[in-house]
Amino acid sequence: MDLILFIITGAIALIGAGAMLISRNAVHSALFLLMNFGAIAVLFLLLQSPFLFTIQLTVYAGAIMVLFLFVVMLLGAEQVENATPDRLAWSRPLAMALGLALLAVAGVVALRTPSAAVPDSAQALGFGEPSQLGKLLFTDYLLPFEITGVILLVAVIGVVVLNQRGRKL
Amino acid sequence: MDLLILVIQCFVITLAVTGGFAYLTLFERRVLARLQNRVGPNRAGPNGFLQPIADAVKLFFKEDIVPSRADKWVYLVAPAMAVIPALIIWAVIPFGCLNINWDYAACFNQSGAGLHNILQIADIDVGVLYLLAITSIGVYGITLAGWASNSKYSMLGSIRSSAQLISYELALGCAVLSVVMTYGTFSTRLIVLQQGGLWGVVPQILGFSLFLVASTAEVVRAPFDLVEAEQELAGGYTTEYGSMKFALFFMAEYIKLIAVSAIAVTFFFGGWRFPGLETLGRGMTELAGPVVGALVMGIVSLAAFLLKVLFFLFLSVWVRASWPRMRYDRLMTFGWKWLLPLGLLNIVYTAVVFVLVPGQAVASVVLCGVGLITMGVAAGLSRSARPAGIVKAARVSGD
């Protein structure tokens, strides 16, 4: 049952990712990416982690993609112009090579990890709990957590400062 | 067996919610009419009881069109994307407690041992987060409908909607977070269970007010219905939709309204609980055996829940009849400069009071007092915060 669900969800995620790259319309791309995010959220659910499932939905599907769509729609930049020559022609082969390299590394890691190191579902049950995650964030990983917070704050302040400068001119 | 029960539950809840939507439209039209000194629809059946059916038949027979310049696929998918979140949000809301292991007492058990409650589909330990996640993807239906229609009115409506929903989601999240902090759990079942003594509205009076406003904005009801603003946008995102596709948007909007009312009841008004429910369950079990006890308990708790939801629905209609639509800049100012800071303050209050004051009941009352004072101060500040120039100009033109 789990395996069948995993195969279906994985296929949907892959189709979404592929269609996102191929699609010529930015809004369609955004929708396929949304499909991909949804499928990945379901994969978290299959890994017995409802917390990560909801976070994936809230943060990626609910906040980031909405902002993407908002900007795309506001700028009216849905269609890719075919007439303009691609100035970043070198980026495509480079991205492909790097992507393949990443895939190879992931494959090597996955094959080398002994199956005993993979926690079974009973062990994993306690992992995704919000209380456990919160405890880890505020004890062992306090410094990275705080640094992330400061980085986000810097971004917010940057937006306000840039906006103020524009107003004075 | 369990799978069969689950499938039946899903069917029943989907049908019940859809039926609830149909009669909510009638309820709203009748109450609104009364509030405006009219009679309202009363021709089809006794007291207009068949009006929703007449409306549905009418919508079925309307011509189903796709605008020629519309983005066809997105145009067709958008109504579905509006309805699906409105329906799946019901999965974690407890409507009552009907334990089909026939033991009423398990409903009041903290650990939930021996509990098989068929009036809640999924009791997951992150239920509150699930509610927030589904609310946050509810914006897609509206946004995509506006974009795919390829019409400027629809487009303006959908841009307004995405900005509004993103802004008010923050205040909503803050209000919900303070509830979670009060009860120390993400599970909707446990939140209801802990409201046996004081309802959540006492410690979270400020949180409740914020939730009420933010959730009204989140389901784009009056006075926050700029998204459809008939006078300026000719109906907003639904302008280019007709027939059943329009009906689906209409349905999603009303089902979301019922859902946020149910969530408000669950978080702040004790869910399916009311005083004396436990005594009733015990009494019926002693009188007529455990099966009757559990059944009575289930029916009474469901009725209590529905009555509370009905109160909120009436409140929503009342608000719609009483307040004019907000201006767009005021809407943004209100969301970002008042609701969000108040929500953050409320989180700080909740944390500090529950750590410093011993005892849940005392802390709740203290929190209630602090919340009321804060609301009073905020109301006073918002009155004095108007720019002097505008007041002077208004006075001059008044003379």
Side-chain angles (χ1 to χ4, degrees):
Chain A
M1 184 73 179
D2 269 11
L3 188 68
I4 300 169
L5 281 178
F6 171 75
I7 291 172
I8 295 173
T9 328
I12 292 175
L14 285 179
I15 292 170
M20 184 208 98
L21 290 176
I22 295 168
S23 169
R24 306 293 289 174
N25 184 320
V27 173
H28 290 180
S29 285
L31 283 181
F32 283 123
L33 190 57
L34 181 68
M35 186 166 112
N36 183 23
F37 285 157
I40 286 174
V42 175
L43 286 181
F44 280 129
L45 209 54
L46 287 177
L47 289 171
Q48 311 285 342
S49 181
F51 181 70
L52 287 179
F53 161 76
T54 55
I55 293 300
Q56 168 87 9
L57 275 189
T58 318
V59 175
Y60 286 98
I64 293 180
M65 282 318 294
V66 174
L67 276 180
F68 270 24
L69 266 183
F70 186 65
V71 170
V72 167
M73 282 165 38
L74 204 65
L75 299 180
E78 294 97 337
Q79 295 297 334
V80 180
E81 289 96 356
N82 288 325
T84 52
D86 204 351
R87 274 192 297 169
L88 296 174
W90 51 270
S91 71
R92 196 167 292 180
L94 183 68
M96 270 186 170
L98 286 178
L100 280 179
L102 184 66
L103 202 64
V105 170
V108 167
V109 170
L111 287 179
R112 274 198 167 180
T113 312
S115 57
V118 180
D120 56 3
S121 56
Q123 253 179 317
L125 215 57
F127 164 71
E129 269 181 27
S131 55
Q132 298 254 356
L133 217 61
K135 235 173 241 167
L136 277 180
L137 272 185
F138 283 98
T139 51
D140 290 5
Y141 299 99
L142 183 62
L143 192 64
F145 182 69
E146 298 270 315
I147 290 174
T148 317
V150 171
I151 290 174
L152 290 176
L153 187 68
V154 167
V156 172
I157 294 173
V159 168
V160 172
V161 168
L162 287 176
N163 192 25
Q164 290 299 93
R165 193 182 294 160
R167 201 173 282 174
K168 260 176 210 160
L169 284 173
Chain B
M1 187 60 195
D2 276 357
L3 197 67
L4 186 70
I5 290 179
L6 191 67
V7 171
I8 294 174
Q9 275 177 321
C10 294
F11 264 106
V12 169
I13 284 178
T14 309
L15 290 179
V17 166
T18 319
F21 143 71
Y23 279 92
L24 176 59
T25 57
L26 179 67
F27 174 75
E28 173 164 40
R29 287 169 73 182
R30 294 283 294 183
V31 174
L32 210 55
R34 281 290 167 210
L35 290 170
Q36 295 165 349
N37 263 337
R38 296 184 286 120
V39 178
N42 65 346
R43 297 285 104 185
N47 275 322
F49 195 71
L50 298 176
Q51 186 68 36
I53 298 166
D55 284 343
V57 171
K58 183 194 77 174
L59 277 169
F60 258 117
F61 283 105
K62 291 233 169 171
E63 189 187 357
D64 193 17
I65 51 158
V66 179
S68 58
R69 299 293 302 277
D71 190 309
K72 195 170 173 230
W73 284 107
V74 183
Y75 181 85
L76 292 179
V77 165
M81 290 193 74
V83 171
I84 291 170
L87 288 177
I88 61 178
I89 202 169
W90 289 90
V92 296
I93 301 174
F95 313 106
C97 191
L98 179 54
N99 186 4
I100 55 168
N101 290 335
W102 312 122
D103 176 19
Y104 87 95
C107 290
F108 299 99
N109 194 342
Q110 194 82 18
S111 66
L115 180 67
H116 191 171
N117 182 6
I118 58 164
L119 290 178
Q120 180 181 11
I121 294 183
D123 175 27
I124 52 174
D125 57 357
V126 288
V128 177
L129 289 174
Y130 175 84
L131 292 177
L132 283 181
I134 302 301
T135 328
S136 70
I137 59 170
V139 56
Y140 282 108
I142 300 178
T143 311
L144 292 174
W147 177 78
S149 305
N150 210 347
S151 138
K152 55 190 164 207
Y153 295 126
S154 305
M155 186 70 192
L156 281 172
S158 77
I159 286 180
R160 278 185 183 184
S161 82
S162 19
Q164 176 179 336
L165 295 197
I166 291 174
S167 307
Y168 278 76
E169 209 172 280
L170 293 169
L172 191 77
C174 286
V176 171
L177 191 61
S178 45
V179 175
V180 170
M181 286 167 74
T182 310
Y183 295 111
T185 175
F186 280 122
S187 155
T188 43
R189 180 180 70 86
L190 289 178
I191 286 181
V192 171
L193 208 57
Q194 292 190 34
Q195 297 181 52
L198 284 174
W199 280 354
V201 69
V202 177
Q204 290 300 332
I205 180 83
L206 184 56
F208 170 65
S209 317
L210 294 172
F211 183 90
L212 205 60
V213 177
S215 65
T216 311
E218 197 74 12
V219 296
V220 294
R221 281 280 298 184
F224 302 107
D225 57 346
L226 296 113
V227 173
E228 30 211 271
E230 295 87 356
Q231 293 87 343
E232 335 161 7
L233 294 183
Y237 65 99
T238 54
T239 308
E240 303 292 332
Y241 280 87
S243 186
M244 278 318 279
K245 289 204 281 293
F246 169 74
L248 282 180
F249 280 116
F250 203 55
M251 183 166 119
E253 200 185 314
Y254 278 84
I255 292 180
K256 269 196 261 175
L257 174 64
I258 309 178
V260 293
S261 305
I263 295 170
V265 167
T266 306
F267 284 168
F268 300 103
F269 281 82
W272 45 265
R273 294 194 71 141
F274 71 90
L277 194 60
E278 212 169 348
T279 322
L280 180 77
R282 197 185 315 123
M284 287 311 289
T285 307
E286 279 167 11
L287 262 180
V291 175
V292 179
L295 272 179
V296 168
M297 168 85 193
I299 293 166
V300 173
S301 59
L302 179 64
F305 179 81
L306 291 181
L307 270 180
K308 290 176 189 174
V309 171
L310 189 64
F311 167 73
F312 274 95
L313 294 178
F314 175 73
L315 194 71
S316 172
V317 176
W318 191 7
V319 165
R320 181 177 165 178
S322 307
W323 268 297
R325 186 175 298 132
M326 273 182 118
R327 222 171 56 201
Y328 191 69
D329 60 326
R330 290 254 179 101
L331 176 89
M332 284 296 152
T333 311
F334 188 52
W336 287 100
K337 293 189 182 165
W338 295 101
L339 288 188
L340 182 60
L342 280 177
L344 294 174
L345 255 186
N346 192 31
I347 289 177
V348 174
Y349 287 162
T350 312
V352 170
V353 168
F354 275 109
V355 168
L356 288 188
V357 182
Q360 180 93 5
V362 184
S364 297
V365 175
V366 170
L367 205 53
C368 181
V370 174
L372 284 175
I373 292 171
T374 310
M375 273 198 280
V377 171
L381 280 180
S382 76
R383 282 192 160 270
S384 62
R386 282 187 200 131
I390 293 176
V391 177
K392 205 180 275 173
R395 255 186 225 144
V396 169
S397 66
D399 295 339

